[in-house]
Amino acid sequence: MAQLTYDTFNAETNRSIYKEADLLKLNPKILARGYKVTKYIYEMPEVSLIPSWLQKWRSNSEEQGVWVGYIAVMEDEEEIRRMGRRDVVVAWRGTLTTEEWLKDIDGSLVEPDEIGTLISGLHFHVTDLDGHVGIERGFWTLYASGQNSARVQVTDEIRRLVSVYGGGQQAELSITITGHSLGAALALVSAYDVASLGLNSSAPISVFSFAGPRVGNAAFKRRLHDELNQG
């Protein structure tokens, strides 16, 4: 599911070459598992953090948002019974655009303000203090910048899916987040964010990351493993 984010990315338009309804039909093994895409995710890069001499290489489609992944939910009842739960997947793409490469090397640690309550906007301060959660700034800005940031898109959709499928007599819900390289970093950041915001309710979150870089400092790791870990 993570590989599809590479296979279907159109570098000329910065969009997927397929509509949401058609994406998972590319892979018969995925189709057989009964997942349906509910939302495409677009990153809204923060222009002010890019040196002015590099901004001329930004395309118009980058300014309008770049396709960076998708959210899918399992709808096949037989598969839900087999797994014992209904699964929600968030799949992130790895680095492909110029701006993403620039963000990859921005390793300054930032501490997002009020990560547990703030949804929109980009708010952080640079930190190197012991005990303060630090996330690498390039990853956080790709995730959280812009009025309709990838963060807003993901958290809104997770909240909606949990509301629709997470209660009553329906099957238990789980959230699986995956990605490769930059996508692995965004998978960890978004899992941390969703758990911090309490959006997962009683749904366990699993991260399957491939070839991921360092995402945060020791305090970030401690909060992720000791305070937010449900397992």
Side-chain angles (χ1 to χ4, degrees):
M1 297 184 85
Q3 181 62 41
L4 283 177
T5 62
Y6 289 104
D7 295 342
T8 66
F9 182 73
N10 185 330
E12 294 183 359
T13 64
N14 284 328
R15 298 288 188 272
S16 171
I17 61 176
Y18 292 94
K19 295 180 179 179
E20 294 177 3
D22 299 329
L23 179 67
L24 296 184
K25 294 179 181 179
L26 291 173
N27 190 320
K29 292 182 180 179
I30 294 176
L31 179 62
R33 297 303 184 190
Y35 284 94
K36 175 185 177 181
V37 174
T38 65
K39 188 174 184 62
Y40 273 174
I41 308 168
Y42 296 89
E43 63 187 32
M44 303 293 180
E46 177 62 32
V47 181
S48 63
L49 297 179
I50 303 173
S52 57
W53 61 276
L54 287 174
Q55 291 185 20
K56 63 182 180 181
W57 281 299
R58 299 180 75 248
S59 65
N60 290 332
S61 57
E62 282 181 309
E63 293 177 357
Q64 298 167 2
V66 178
W67 184 69
V68 72
Y70 60 92
I71 301 174
V73 63
M74 182 182 292
E75 290 200 333
D76 184 85
E77 295 299 328
E78 183 176 347
E79 186 64 12
I80 292 171
R81 287 192 296 271
R82 186 190 72 82
M83 292 187 67
R85 65 185 186 277
R86 185 189 300 271
D87 192 39
V88 173
V89 170
V90 182
W92 293 95
R93 177 178 55 73
T95 307
L96 287 178
T97 71
T98 301
E99 191 154 349
E100 289 164 359
W101 283 111
L102 294 174
K103 290 296 190 295
D104 284 350
I105 61 175
D106 185 357
S108 301
L109 293 177
V110 297
E111 182 177 17
D113 294 334
E114 302 178 18
I115 192 169
T117 57
L118 186 66
I119 296 296
S120 62
L122 182 65
H123 298 266
F124 59 76
H125 62 269
V126 178
T127 181
D128 57 2
L129 299 175
D130 291 340
H132 284 248
V133 170
I135 297 175
E136 296 208 8
R137 181 168 62 179
F139 302 143
W140 179 255
T141 54
L142 282 173
Y143 175 64
S145 62
Q147 185 174 2
N148 185 32
S149 66
R151 182 189 191 192
V152 169
Q153 297 165 51
V154 170
T155 53
D156 281 356
E157 184 65 3
I158 292 293
R159 184 182 289 106
R160 186 186 73 82
L161 291 173
V162 168
S163 175
V164 171
Y165 297 110
Q169 301 300 315
Q170 303 186 54
E172 292 184 4
L173 196 68
S174 61
I175 299 172
T176 303
I177 308 180
T178 186
H180 168 265
S181 187
L182 168 62
L186 293 174
L188 199 58
V189 169
S190 56
Y192 177 88
D193 194 28
V194 168
S196 294
L197 293 166
L199 301 182
N200 55 313
S201 185
S202 59
I205 300 174
S206 299
V207 174
F208 292 86
S209 61
F210 305 92
R214 187 188 73 167
V215 173
N217 61 6
F220 170 80
K221 179 182 178 181
R222 284 194 298 272
R223 174 153 170 74
L224 187 65
H225 286 270
D226 298 339
E227 298 177 31
L228 299 177
N229 186 12
Q230 299 181 18

